[in-house]
Amino acid sequence: PCHVDKIQADWELYSSLRNRFRSKHLVDDFVQQHFQNHTVIGIHVRAGNGEGGDFERKGRTIENPQVWVHQVSQLLQTFLQNQRQSSAKVLPPPRLYIATDTPSMVTLFRDELQSDGISVLDLPQQGRREEGQGVLF
């Protein structure tokens, strides 16, 4: 468990970083446009986008992306079902926001979740490399 002072210090640090982010207005506009009146769950998937070297040597790749996305999607659906059952009120429709270095992850999640009525969103990135071309820092 975190100490209250640590939580407060972290909140202040990350709030100040967010306020200095040069593309903050784009993120705020996206949130205003797409997150209102929805239950939004966010996920960050660092799949490497074909990156080798240290990323691959440390076993950070996702061995089978289709299986991995299927399993994560099942966990998401179970979580949402539990939230609906434990809530005294009707929850807004769900959306999954995905931040990733690998464009195909967005497509895999969309394909997996569309039949369950869970829309998948991503904020298009400037400088995201083509599928399998590694990452930019």
Side-chain angles (χ1 to χ4, degrees), residues 13 30 37 87-89 95:
L13 171 66
F30 184 84
N37 302 314
S87 178
K89 58 183 179 177
R95 284 193 165 167

Side-chain angles (χ1 to χ4, degrees), residues 6-78:
K6 168 80 167 110
I7 294 171
Q8 182 62 34
D10 286 352
W11 177 262
E12 290 172 10
L13 171 66
Y14 293 117
S15 293
S16 73
L17 291 174
R18 183 181 186 284
N19 290 333
R20 290 184 276 159
F21 179 52
R22 71 175 166 216
S23 297
K24 180 181 178 300
H25 67 285
L26 297 175
V27 174
D28 289 344
D29 289 347
F30 184 84
V31 168
Q32 184 69 27
Q33 231 177 2
H34 298 286
F35 288 14
Q36 300 300 314
N37 302 314
H38 286 86
T39 300
V40 180
I41 297 173
I43 185 171
H44 176 235
V45 180
R46 175 78 164 89
N49 198 28
E51 184 179 351
D54 191 56
F55 189 82
E56 195 171 42
R57 279 191 300 278
K58 290 184 176 174
R60 295 180 62 201
T61 58
I62 296 173
E63 200 65 35
N64 186 327
Q66 290 82 8
V67 170
W68 187 84
V69 166
H70 178 73
Q71 291 173 340
V72 171
S73 295
Q74 286 183 324
L75 289 172
L76 174 66
Q77 292 163 345
T78 299

